[in-house]
Every structure is written in C-alpha cells, then in structure tokens.
Amino acid sequence: MKITKTLLLPAAAAILSVSMIAGCEKNNAAETGGSAGTDPKNAAGGGGTFELGSKPLTFTFYGNYDWYNMPAWGEDAASKWIKENKKVDIKAVSSGGAAAQKLNTMIASGDLPDVVWLERSGDVEKLRAADMLVPLDDYINKYPNLKKWLGEAGLNMLRASDGKIYGFPNWYTNRPNGNAGYVVNKKIYKELGSPKLETTDDLYNYLKAVKEKYPNVIPFEPHLGKDGQGLDVIYSAFAENHPNVYVGNRAVPSGDKLTSIFTDPVFRETMQYESKLFREKLAGSGCDDPYPRPGDRESDDRQSRGAGVFQPDGAGAEGGYGAIGEGSGGGLFHDLAGT
C-alpha cells in the first residue's frame, strides 16, 4: 500500500497541526485508499466535514531538526486541554539528534509519520517526487479557514511544479504586520481599568502604570531580547509595510535595491523607543523567564514577580502558558502586533 503523508512548513505549532491533520487524513483516504490507523472517512462522518472532538484522533508527528524534541503531549495546560476536550493525541517521532539520517531512513523504508515538519528545501520535492505526500488542495477548499487567513496569493506561493499544495506553513497571515504578538496579564490589566492598547504610546503608558502599581512586576518581558524576540516586532508598528523581517535581514527594500537597516529612519525610531523602555526600567533583560518551567530552582521568586506584558516562545509554552492560565484571575489575550 502506498503511504502518503502531509507536511508542515517551516515551523510547527501543535494547534495548527491538529486543525490540518483531520482534513489531510480524510484526503489521504479519498485519494490513496487510506492508510494504517483510524479510517478517516468514518471519523469524518462518511464524507461530511470533520468536527474536531467528535471522535478520537491520533497521529504521529516528526520534527526534522537535530535540536528538536517535542514536549510530551498532554503535560502542559494547552495540549492537556486539547487532548481532553478535543480527543486529539499526538505521538512524537524523535530525530535522535540526526534529522537528515532519520528522514532518509524513513523515506527508504516507506514508513513516514503522519505529519512532517521541515524547512522548504529539496527534501520536500524529494518526498513529492516519490509520491509520498498528500495534496492539500481538496482539504483547503473544504475547510476554507486556511484560504481565508492566508489568501490566494499566499497559497499560490506554496504550489509545487504540478500546481498542487503539499505543505502548509504553521505561521502565516494576510496582514502586513506579521503574526507575532504578546500576551497580557489579565489580572493586572483589569485592575488598571482595561485601558486601550492600540498604539506604541498606549503600550508605553500602560507599562508605566504597571511599574507604578506593581513594583515587583516586570512591566514588559521580551523573553530572549538578545535575539530580538519580543522586540523586533515593534518595528512594524512605526511604519506601514515595514515587516519586522527587515530587522532580521538587516536590510530594507528601496526600489530594486536593499539598503542598510542602520540607515532606516523607522529602525532608528524603533530603537529609540525600545531604549526608552529599558532606560526607564519598563522592560526586562529577556534573560529571565517570568513564567518558568516547573522544577526551576528560581520559579517561586520569578513566579511571584511575573510580567505585565510577555512575549512567550514555543519552548517555554508549557511553563509560560500554564503559569498564566492557572494563576488566580490569570488569562491570555490581546494581540498587540502591528498596532
């Protein structure tokens, strides 16, 4: 039996892989006669749309990176809720620190996991040419949320040489500001009167209010600030059509040329704004995780301090989201990106 799988490009988030795999698995059954495991036709109600949580759904997931080890599914607050309420269970396949060898071995044996997460590289074409991937076109048309969020122009950029789509990025948007954002401590936000948070001035004034009322709280914690995490995204707030990718590339398009980011007035204004946050001690160093993982020897101290506005990352999600979501009056909300 021919084994066909789906891809996630170029990075994976658990909730997206959940939303994608249901359609892909059903697509697999329709186009290739099915694969091992639960019959997707039955799971989807004999041809109707599949409702997540209507039936148990289990699939395997492989991250094609030497450094990546998927956190145990169901042990953090988010995946535990998905597992219990949506009946989704994800089984991790480890690269063992040798991703290239692992992928080649799986390809040679024909034993691929249900979802593969990898970069947009020659490996994708190699899998497609070997007829080991599921086209996602029917799924995208049947469940149009992905088409709505990414848009036709974005979808067309994903098409292979045969005109079909075999992989889908886990992060994407049809908004010019990117998809990054922050989480806000709901308890603090409400106690400060739920002020408007739409501009950089709003953010600055809010952080000042957090510092004044909660002296032991870090007003703004950018997480790994030294890597630009939580900081670079602010760049997109100071001009239209200036995505923060320019900062990472150290260049800004100007006509048919690239100019240095360091001569860009938007970048300069951004740096002045961020410098003000640090000078006035409204931003943390980014070296300390204000929502540490369980078992961290400094967890009690940092948990009590917390943060007013926080930029989490995937690696810290099991600690960060859990700490925010489980605390008294805590919660996650508000996307500040691009405001």
Side-chain angles (χ1 to χ4, degrees), residues 137-209:
D137 303 75
D138 289 347
Y139 172 78
I140 292 170
N141 289 327
K142 187 170 185 177
Y143 300 87
N145 54 323
L146 298 180
K147 179 184 293 188
K148 175 182 176 181
W149 294 333
L150 182 58
E152 287 291 345
L155 288 173
N156 289 334
M157 292 175 64
L158 300 175
R159 297 193 184 280
S161 56
D162 62 2
K164 297 181 179 180
I165 297 173
Y166 294 92
F168 207 91
N170 83 298
W171 60 272
Y172 58 91
T173 180
N174 56 15
R175 296 158 54 192
N177 55 270
N179 73 311
Y182 304 108
V183 293
V184 180
N185 186 310
K186 181 186 288 186
K187 182 175 183 294
I188 293 176
Y189 183 72
K190 286 186 174 181
E191 289 177 355
L192 289 175
S194 303
K196 182 179 67 172
L197 286 172
E198 297 178 356
T199 69
T200 52
D201 286 340
D202 292 341
L203 177 59
Y204 172 73
N205 292 330
Y206 178 72
L207 297 179
K208 286 178 61 178

Side-chain angles (χ1 to χ4, degrees), residues 23-280:
C24 292
E25 287 282 87
K26 183 176 183 300
N27 218 22
N28 190 13
E31 297 192 13
T32 69
S35 63
T38 303
D39 185 345
K41 284 187 176 180
N42 295 334
T49 56
F50 178 79
E51 181 180 350
L52 202 61
S54 61
K55 292 182 180 292
L57 175 66
T58 299
F59 62 91
T60 52
F61 176 89
Y62 170 66
N64 190 47
Y65 299 92
D66 294 341
W67 51 266
Y68 179 73
N69 282 301
M70 182 181 127
W73 185 255
E75 292 191 4
D76 62 274
S79 64
K80 179 181 179 182
W81 187 93
I82 295 170
K83 186 174 183 177
E84 293 176 351
N85 292 275
K86 296 301 180 181
K87 303 177 184 177
V88 174
D89 195 13
I90 303 178
K91 305 295 185 182
V93 176
S94 174
S95 70
Q101 295 90 325
K102 178 71 173 181
L103 182 61
N104 285 333
T105 299
M106 292 190 294
I107 293 174
S109 65
D111 185 18
L112 287 172
D114 297 306
V115 177
V116 178
W117 164 34
L118 75 171
E119 297 292 321
R120 295 185 67 181
S121 63
D123 289 330
V124 178
E125 178 57 24
K126 180 165 58 176
L127 288 165
R128 188 201 67 81
D131 200 20
M132 304 183 83
L133 300 180
V134 177
L136 304 181
D137 303 75
D138 289 347
Y139 172 78
I140 292 170
N141 289 327
K142 187 170 185 177
Y143 300 87
N145 54 323
L146 298 180
K147 179 184 293 188
K148 175 182 176 181
W149 294 333
L150 182 58
E152 287 291 345
L155 288 173
N156 289 334
M157 292 175 64
L158 300 175
R159 297 193 184 280
S161 56
D162 62 2
K164 297 181 179 180
I165 297 173
Y166 294 92
F168 207 91
N170 83 298
W171 60 272
Y172 58 91
T173 180
N174 56 15
R175 296 158 54 192
N177 55 270
N179 73 311
Y182 304 108
V183 293
V184 180
N185 186 310
K186 181 186 288 186
K187 182 175 183 294
I188 293 176
Y189 183 72
K190 286 186 174 181
E191 289 177 355
L192 289 175
S194 303
K196 182 179 67 172
L197 286 172
E198 297 178 356
T199 69
T200 52
D201 286 340
D202 292 341
L203 177 59
Y204 172 73
N205 292 330
Y206 178 72
L207 297 179
K208 286 178 61 178
V210 171
K211 180 184 177 183
E212 181 178 348
K213 186 167 183 177
Y214 307 93
N216 293 324
V217 165
I218 304 169
F220 172 53
E221 177 53 76
H223 192 63
L224 294 177
K226 64 183 178 63
D227 293 336
Q229 294 186 24
L231 295 174
D232 287 357
V233 68
I234 296 176
Y235 174 79
S236 64
F238 283 92
E240 295 294 332
N241 300 316
H242 269 61
N244 62 289
V245 67
Y246 292 174
V247 181
N249 292 338
R250 303 295 189 266
V252 179
S254 178
D256 60 352
K257 297 180 180 179
L258 292 176
T259 59
S260 171
I261 188 74
F262 301 109
T263 63
D264 177 31
V266 178
F267 178 74
R268 182 175 297 129
E269 186 178 8
T270 304
M271 293 299 101
Q272 290 172 339
Y273 177 84
E274 293 175 357
S275 177
K276 181 169 67 172
L277 297 185
F278 284 102
R279 288 198 315 271
E280 298 183 17

